[in-house]
Amino acid sequence: MVGVHGWLLAGRLWHPLRRELAPRWSLWCPDLPGFGGTERPRGLQASLASYGRWLAEAAQREAAGRPVVLLGHSLGGSLALHAAPLLGGQLRGLVQIAVGGGVYQPRPFARVRRGGAAFLRWRPVWAAQLPGTGAIRSPLVADGRAARGLLACSTNRGAVRQLPRLTAELQVPSLWIAGSRDRVMQPRYVRHLAGYSPLHRLVVLNGLGHLPMGEQPRQLAALIDTWLEDELELPPQSQGLQSVASPFSCSSASWA
């Protein structure tokens, strides 16, 4: 599995979930170029399409011929949708966490762009060097050009209206997960975009917000673990081990 983090975040976002999934499943969670302290190659444009191509190529190198399941979070889910068709038959499934949209909203998106630009301009970069700031380091050191470019690209009319088409073209099963208390990506927007996917399951997790992999990683791992085995029929890396036992609570679950 390949975990794709969202805007201003880093691969460490997935570490709690990776610990819960191991050793049954392997989760590779790279820092996207320009985030988490990694350099952005000069030739990599700050656009969803360019980062989607980078993601597909990186996933293929890491997987070395093995099946791939993409896990996208927030903006990372848009990148996963762009990478999906480039992986061909190697892609076996897609898990989208707090990923939704597909409806262009000029005023809210303009506010998001202004707020993001203001943060990048005034963020205290010096604070990244202080001890004990590891959890908040990524937003402070993210490449400004990459951050501004991806935010602008993901909120422009063309990119937003492209998401339903990319979702409808998915050739693999997909699991869409929303937190009932998510105020960044409300469940109704996740439900809207998930509905375009031909083979999808939608689950809304009670009481969780925008970062369920940090809030309840065991709960999230149990859900993903069951879906991987039942829906994709993928054998876990470690055979004969007991499955994650923690139950998960859902306010709604639908198949389409």
Side-chain angles (χ1 to χ4, degrees):
M1 290 184 284
V2 179
V4 192
H5 64 79
W7 191 65
L8 290 187
L9 299 176
R12 64 178 293 159
L13 170 78
W14 299 101
H15 289 181
L17 179 64
R18 183 174 66 180
R19 288 192 292 268
E20 294 295 337
L21 290 170
R24 288 173 61 81
W25 310 99
S26 71
L27 174 57
W28 181 54
C29 33
D31 293 336
L32 293 172
F35 299 90
T38 62
E39 294 292 330
R40 179 175 63 90
R42 181 170 296 181
L44 180 62
Q45 297 181 353
S47 69
L48 297 180
S50 294
Y51 269 70
R53 286 192 294 271
W54 176 91
L55 174 60
E57 293 170 0
Q60 287 174 324
R61 288 194 302 269
E62 180 69 18
R66 292 173 294 168
V68 171
V69 175
L70 294 177
L71 276 67
H73 173 256
S74 197
L75 178 63
S78 298
L79 302 182
L81 287 172
H82 279 268
L86 304 178
L87 288 169
Q90 193 172 1
L91 181 67
R92 295 291 299 276
L94 183 67
V95 179
Q96 298 282 60
I97 303 172
V99 179
V103 179
Y104 183 66
Q105 304 179 73
R107 290 184 179 178
F109 287 161
R111 288 196 296 269
V112 168
R113 287 193 294 270
R114 288 196 299 269
F119 171 80
L120 291 171
R121 181 178 181 182
W122 300 109
R123 58 183 168 164
V125 178
W126 53 268
Q129 307 303 320
L130 297 177
T133 58
I136 61 170
R137 186 175 184 274
S138 183
L140 299 177
V141 301
D143 180 277
R145 182 170 296 180
R148 284 189 295 270
L150 286 175
L151 183 61
C153 180
S154 64
T155 56
N156 72 44
R157 187 188 303 270
V160 171
R161 292 182 174 176
Q162 190 180 20
L163 292 180
R165 179 180 64 78
L166 291 171
T167 305
E169 292 174 353
L170 287 173
Q171 301 296 311
V172 296
S174 56
L175 174 63
W176 300 72
I177 301 170
S180 66
R181 295 186 177 179
D182 191 340
R183 295 295 176 262
V184 178
M185 183 58 69
Q186 297 178 22
R188 57 178 174 150
Y189 296 122
V190 177
R191 182 176 289 107
H192 173 80
L193 188 58
Y196 288 94
S197 179
L199 301 169
H200 82 271
R201 182 184 181 189
L202 169 68
V203 176
V204 179
L205 298 177
N206 280 324
L208 298 189
H210 193 60
L211 299 169
M213 65 286 291
E215 299 171 69
Q216 290 290 340
R218 182 166 298 181
Q219 180 179 352
L220 184 60
L223 172 59
I224 295 174
D225 183 83
T226 300
W227 181 77
L228 286 169
E229 289 201 49
D230 293 350
E231 180 65 16
L232 300 191
E233 298 182 351
L234 285 174
Q237 277 196 159
S238 182
Q239 296 283 1
L241 294 178
Q242 184 177 359
S243 179
V244 179
S246 175
F248 54 88
S249 172
C250 307
S251 62
S252 66
S254 62
W255 293 87

